[in-house]
């Protein structure tokens, strides 16, 4: 396959890209088509590595309102509603809903997903279904599965057995929820258990950590310290960490030292946490998101995740990482020209480090031939217009393409096509 006339980030020239046997073969100017080669016209749009969804709950997608709506908008009511919905889970229910959401993700240029799957269920129905779906879709999307104990490990009957069983079934990552355990001690013990299992089974770690507006919720320091001391370091991710939005600056200054030393990754979920947090405040009302701008400035790896699509925690969403980024830039006040112009990394390169796939990620000769073509030629333009993903190409095969809409206006006695939306 030959893709003609592409812009590449940070480069002035126009490039052609040849993918052969599923691999980036040549990236150069003016490549001559070979006999019988498939040709795609890039129209001077930006070629970019595929978007990454580093944090979603695919087992819960598309269940909002079942059996009831989350009326308070809190994390806690979401957990209660899901607890009731769990009674109706079947293998096919999980697979059908997750597959529908994955198709939306593919249409939006996502090719790598890390999904949390609730394992506080004695039958592990969702885990078994997601492991099967991961295998079925592996040509089109790479899925990492987190064994996520939604109702706690030490606070849930047989929690530690269920999480270990999930690893034996094939989960890739260990999850946790220390701030939701009954006691602080259980929270710390749950982190210790996660680390010992990660070492035993050679797995990654991604913990829902301090997702609460309680400035006393300080499991992040424990997670980072264990990551540092065990040497698991960048194999560890802290998701949400919304309490960091409530920590005082003196404590946060001290905390950042171990965060930096630990080399752990962060996932901020701005769409969902701007909605779930601050719910116990009147006014002033906290934003309840982690300190993305400051983490990034300290060269600590941080990326953005969607978290939910139409489920007990979030009533909207269509799997579009540009919407996530758009919200993230606003909520984290990263709206300077340079911030906006260098922001696609929060849904691509930075996320690849979180997933530990950075070595084979990116448009580079010799890497797997995975890219998207966006309807725009720089980060700024693409976010402002929330561009369509014109093509998503995986191992040299088109897995989605979109024809952008056209809009006509009729004013001043003339009809005109305008290009405000991509
Ligand atoms: N569960 C949880 O503990 N936190 C969340 N944000 C979601 C599920 C979506
Ligand atoms: Fe989450």
């Amino acid at each position: 396959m030959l893709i003609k006339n592409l812009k590449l980030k940070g480069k002035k020239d126009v490039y052609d890209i040849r993918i052969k046997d599923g691999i980036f073969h040549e990236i150069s100017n003016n490549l001559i088509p070979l006999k019988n080669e498939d040709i795609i016209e890039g129209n001077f749009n930006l070629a970019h590595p595929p978007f990454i969804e580093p944090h979603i709950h695919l087992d819960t997608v598309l269940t909002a309102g079942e059996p009831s709506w989350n009326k308070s908008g809190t994390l806690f009511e979401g957990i209660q509603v899901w607890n009731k919905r769990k009674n109706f889970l079947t293998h096919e229910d999980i697979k059908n809903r997750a597959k529908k959401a994955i198709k939306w993700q593919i249409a939006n240029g996502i090719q790598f997903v890390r999904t949390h799957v609730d394992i506080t269920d004695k039958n592990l129905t969702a885990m078994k279904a997601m492991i099967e779906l991961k295998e079925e879709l592996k040509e089109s999307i790479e899925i990492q599965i987190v064994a996520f104990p939604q109702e706690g490990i030490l606070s849930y009957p047989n929690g530690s057995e269920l999480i270990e069983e999930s690893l034996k079934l094939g989960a890739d990552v260990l999850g946790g929820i220390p701030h939701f355990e009954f006691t602080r001690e259980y929270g710390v013990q749950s982190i210790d258990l996660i680390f010992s299992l990660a070492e035993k089974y050679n797995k990654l770690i991604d913990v829902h950590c301090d997702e609460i507006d309680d400035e006393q919720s300080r499991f992040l320091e424990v997670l980072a310290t264990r990551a540092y001391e065990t040497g698991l370091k960048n194999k560890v991710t802290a998701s949400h960490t919304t309490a960091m939005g409530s920590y005082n600056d003196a404590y946060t200054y001290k905390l950042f030292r171990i965060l930096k030393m630990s080399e752990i990754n962060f996932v901020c979920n701005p769409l969902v946490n701007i909605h779930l947090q601050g719910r116990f405040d009147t006014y002033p009302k906290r934003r309840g998101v982690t300190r993305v701008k400051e983490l990034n400035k300290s060269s600590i790896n941080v990326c953005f995740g969607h978290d939910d699509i139409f489920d007990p925690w979030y009533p909207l969403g269509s799997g579009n990482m540009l919407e996530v980024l758009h919200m993230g830039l606003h909520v984290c006040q990263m709206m300077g020209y340079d911030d906006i112009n260098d922001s696609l990394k929060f849904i691509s390169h930075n996320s690849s480090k979180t997933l530990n796939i950075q070595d084979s990620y990116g448009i580079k000769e010799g890497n797997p031939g995975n890219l998207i073509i966006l309807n725009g030629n720089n980060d700024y333009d693409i976010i402002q217009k929330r561009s369509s993903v014109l093509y998503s190409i995986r191992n040299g095969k088109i897995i989605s393409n979109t024809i952008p809409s056209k809009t006509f206006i009729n004013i001043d006695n003339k009809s005109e096509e305008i290009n405000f939306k991509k």
Side-chain angles (χ1 to χ4, degrees), residues 115-181:
T115 179
H116 295 256
V117 177
D118 182 10
I119 53 95
T120 49
D121 159 20
K122 64 180 185 329
N123 302 315
L124 296 175
T125 304
M127 180 53 73
K128 289 172 189 161
M130 278 308 304
I131 288 170
E132 214 175 274
L133 192 60
K134 166 184 166 156
E135 180 62 24
E136 282 171 26
L137 298 178
K138 69 175 184 211
E139 302 294 318
S140 313
I141 195 151
E142 186 176 319
I143 301 177
Q144 288 183 356
I145 298 179
V146 186
F148 171 55
Q150 177 65 79
E151 296 182 48
I153 302 177
L154 287 116
S155 315
Y156 190 79
N158 300 318
S160 57
E161 285 79 12
L162 288 166
I163 202 164
E164 186 159 4
E165 180 60 22
S166 304
L167 298 178
K168 289 183 186 153
L169 288 171
D172 309 288
V173 187
L174 276 139
I177 185 161
H179 55 277
F180 190 71
E181 299 281 357

Side-chain angles (χ1 to χ4, degrees), residues 57 75 148 150 177 208 211 240 276 307-308 313:
H57 298 253
L75 165 66
F148 171 55
Q150 177 65 79
I177 185 161
H208 279 62
E211 189 187 12
H240 296 290
L276 295 179
D307 206 13
D308 302 278
W313 294 275

